[in-house]
Amino acid sequence: LSGAAHSALAENLDCTQVTAARLGVNAVELNSTEWVAGGGDFALDHCRLSGTTGAHTGMDGKAYAIAFELRLPDNWNGRFVHQFNGGNDGAVVPAVGPLLGGDKSDTALARGYAVVSSNAGHSGDANPEAGLAGGARFGFDAQARRDYGYQAVATLNPLAEAMVEAYYDAPIEFSYGVGGSNGGRHAMVAASRMPEAFDGLLAGYPGFNLPKAAIQHAWDVQAFHAVNGEVRNAFSRDDLDRVARNILAQCDNLDGLTDNWVADVDACQQKYNPDWLQCSPGQTQGCLSAAQVTALKTIHRGPHNSDGEPLYSDWAWDSGIGSGDWRFWKLESPIPPWGNNSLIAVMGSASLAQLFTTPPTRVAGSPQALEDYLLAFDFDRDAPLITNSTERFPESAMDYMTPPGADNPELADFRAAGGKLIVFHGVSDPVFSVRDTTDWYRKLDANNNDNAAAFARYYRVPGMPHGAGGPAPDDFDFFSQLVYWVEAGVEPGAVSAGVSAANQEAQARLGDVSRLLCP
């Protein structure tokens, strides 16, 4: 899967002389072109183009545009990757094409792919006056919401492919989309909305139901606050390590092997009982308080309204609950400007208020104001706003964020186009429930006559939190599995996963023994 394809431009024209006119893309404004020598984060010599498309003035009076960069390796392998980024987007992350495993040096660019990356249609630093709420303030413009949800990818992808093909004067042989978290959502949206655009899609730990998952942020903060009135201190590190060890004690050997890893995920959900952690009368050490056990059971149950109707999903009990990443998302961060609040209490709060509910609610950007918004969130009054629309905002958050048909997926057009999809998700993900993704895949399978595996494979990674890391075998390569499937017809099976050298949590618990991740 290698070999160079060079055009008159790539061979004879200095990269800095490339123009949009020469590439034949009138809808693009190129801001800069530069040749970058290989080394460090950029393994191969390549040409970097940066530009914008789709500029507009928003309802809020702010200037918006889809900003991007495209990296074109001198030794091109004839293939293209659209790098779907995460979080609230809002910045043009270097287009190196991270392949989502524990080896961060393994990128699409390093393998010879042309790669594009974008800000998804808005700048995250356009509202500095909004403080910590600024990154989600673009939610006050309907078009910016739409670009963030799906249209930026739909607008940029054909332009990027046209630039690649013009630069090399050769067709792209295979196109891929790769992303984790919100980027995983972008991949799943592409499978639904752009079924013929990509030959293969890799969706890692996807937030495909992101507005519903954002309701969980308020649910979590309120549950933790009920323990002792202070979210960050609801559970100490030792408390959560105790929970993790208790889960291992009850579930580790359910697969017939005691190895500090809960491989039989489903059996663990049936067996695990957190009540065993609760202190006995008079006991104060080596246990959890009744309030802590209640909080754990509450957050794992998932958000509900007062009629008992579920608003998102339940969550899996898994040993990664003791990881630093789980704590960072749910309880506290080491970031002083955030007031050491967790990620859900900062970015999550601002997004729920300004992006995922309609009409948007302007929130102040201080750590306390953002936490207060989640503490005051009403699951009867406010939760329905994720499906609400208005004249000014004609698409609800669920409309513009969620893959069409995600509640009853079939992906018939993607299947008919010959596309291939690999989805993987950490069982201990603290922000998007693996149980929700599992439910999605089981519905997809049922809607395809129990044969979704013909075009879509789904892997769970026990112990892994939000992305590679945690007490999990995280040195895996799903992207190669996808490429072999697309280009050689080799169906993915069990994937060997080791422990990356930088993953100290997994090195301490699992050592260097590799595991198999099975679809």
Side-chain angles (χ1 to χ4, degrees):
L1 307 178
S2 62
H6 294 280
S7 69
L9 278 174
E11 291 180 345
N12 302 320
L13 181 64
D14 186 297
C15 165
T16 60
Q17 298 177 28
V18 173
T19 65
R22 282 188 154 182
L23 295 176
V25 283
N26 295 328
V28 166
E29 180 179 342
L30 286 183
N31 302 324
S32 67
T33 62
E34 63 172 338
W35 185 81
V36 180
D41 293 333
F42 310 112
L44 300 180
D45 295 349
H46 65 276
C47 181
R48 175 186 173 273
L49 311 180
S50 68
T52 60
T53 189
H56 75 278
T57 300
M59 294 158 49
D60 54 359
K62 298 283 186 178
Y64 289 94
I66 302 167
F68 68 88
E69 71 168 37
L70 176 63
R71 295 184 186 258
L72 302 155
D74 288 4
N75 189 25
W76 182 48
N77 68 5
R79 293 151 176 85
F80 167 76
V81 163
H82 197 134
Q83 173 183 320
F84 306 132
N85 294 311
N88 283 339
D89 286 304
V92 182
V93 178
V96 297
L99 298 179
L100 309 182
D103 180 2
K104 305 305 180 186
S105 67
D106 186 17
T107 66
L109 182 66
R111 296 189 186 192
Y113 290 76
V115 183
V116 73
S117 167
S118 87
N119 68 350
H122 64 275
S123 173
D125 58 6
N127 297 281
E129 75 286 352
L132 296 175
R137 193 57 64 85
F138 71 93
F140 284 84
D141 178 55
Q143 181 60 47
R145 285 181 166 208
R146 189 177 301 115
D147 281 339
Y148 174 61
Y150 62 90
Q151 197 161 306
V153 172
T155 299
L156 177 60
N157 196 71
L159 296 172
E161 289 189 335
M163 287 187 280
V164 171
E165 293 184 337
Y167 183 81
Y168 293 110
D169 193 22
I172 294 170
E173 295 179 51
F174 297 97
S175 290
Y176 298 92
V178 178
S181 189
N182 180 50
R185 181 197 64 83
H186 277 302
M188 291 176 67
V189 168
S192 295
R193 290 185 178 270
M194 306 166 58
E196 299 181 354
F198 298 98
D199 299 293
L201 291 163
L202 178 60
Y205 37 102
F208 72 96
N209 258 332
L210 218 162
K212 290 184 179 180
I215 293 174
Q216 179 81 34
H217 302 339
W219 188 258
D220 286 345
V221 164
Q222 292 183 27
F224 290 137
H225 191 267
V227 172
N228 57 14
E230 191 172 357
V231 173
R232 292 195 305 276
N233 294 320
F235 290 84
S236 68
R237 287 173 177 77
D238 286 343
D239 289 333
L240 291 180
D241 181 64
R242 182 171 295 111
V243 178
R245 287 186 281 108
N246 186 259
I247 291 171
L248 286 170
Q250 296 189 44
C251 297
D252 184 359
N253 65 357
L254 293 176
D255 63 340
L257 182 66
T258 301
D259 60 353
N260 288 325
W261 195 56
V262 181
D264 196 336
V265 175
D266 296 323
C268 185
Q269 308 319 305
Q270 296 298 316
K271 177 180 180 180
Y272 184 68
N273 183 0
D275 290 333
W276 293 4
L277 287 162
Q278 186 168 321
C279 298
S280 302
Q283 184 183 9
T284 58
Q285 301 293 325
C287 55
L288 299 183
S289 69
Q292 288 177 312
V293 172
T294 296
L296 287 176
K297 293 163 77 171
T298 297
I299 65 172
H300 279 78
R301 177 177 175 242
H304 287 67
N305 62 21
S306 61
D307 290 331
E309 298 168 332
L311 302 174
Y312 176 41
S313 172
D314 60 347
W315 297 70
W317 296 97
D318 191 50
S319 61
I321 194 171
S323 69
D325 186 75
W326 200 96
R327 187 173 194 86
F328 174 75
W329 277 94
K330 295 279 197 185
L331 287 165
E332 67 172 344
S333 75
I335 304 174
W338 292 9
N340 297 111
N341 281 358
S342 67
L343 194 53
I344 66 170
V346 178
M347 185 178 76
S349 175
S351 298
L352 179 58
Q354 300 175 148
L355 273 176
F356 302 142
T357 48
T358 302
T361 299
R362 190 176 298 270
V363 288
S366 70
Q368 189 60 55
L370 291 167
E371 183 177 285
D372 287 345
Y373 171 81
L374 295 179
L375 289 171
F377 191 85
D378 187 286
F379 299 99
D380 292 330
R381 179 194 65 221
D382 300 327
L385 296 179
I386 67 171
T387 59
N388 192 46
S389 61
T390 66
E391 184 176 352
R392 286 173 59 81
F393 297 93
E395 290 177 283
S396 74
M398 290 298 290
D399 288 334
Y400 73 77
M401 288 298 293
T402 305
D407 57 344
N408 191 31
E410 184 179 356
L411 296 181
D413 292 340
F414 183 73
R415 180 190 65 221
K420 299 294 185 285
L421 169 67
I422 290 180
V423 180
F424 70 95
H425 203 150
V427 179
S428 289
D429 192 328
V431 61
F432 303 132
S433 171
V434 72
R435 303 271 283 180
D436 192 37
T437 309
T438 302
D439 181 63
W440 171 87
Y441 186 76
R442 287 175 174 158
K443 289 177 180 176
L444 180 70
D445 194 39
N447 289 338
N448 282 275
N449 299 315
D450 298 326
N451 193 32
F455 68 96
R457 297 287 168 101
Y458 170 52
Y459 295 80
R460 293 179 292 189
V461 187
M464 190 176 84
H466 195 60
D474 65 336
D475 192 4
F476 43 70
D477 181 6
F478 289 112
F479 184 70
S480 288
Q481 298 291 323
L482 179 65
V483 170
Y484 295 146
W485 196 10
V486 166
E487 301 186 22
V490 178
E491 295 186 0
V495 175
S496 180
V499 175
S500 60
N503 186 350
Q504 296 182 1
E505 288 181 317
Q507 290 285 351
R509 182 177 291 176
L510 304 177
D512 291 323
V513 178
S514 63
R515 269 76 170 172
L516 289 178
L517 303 175
C518 299

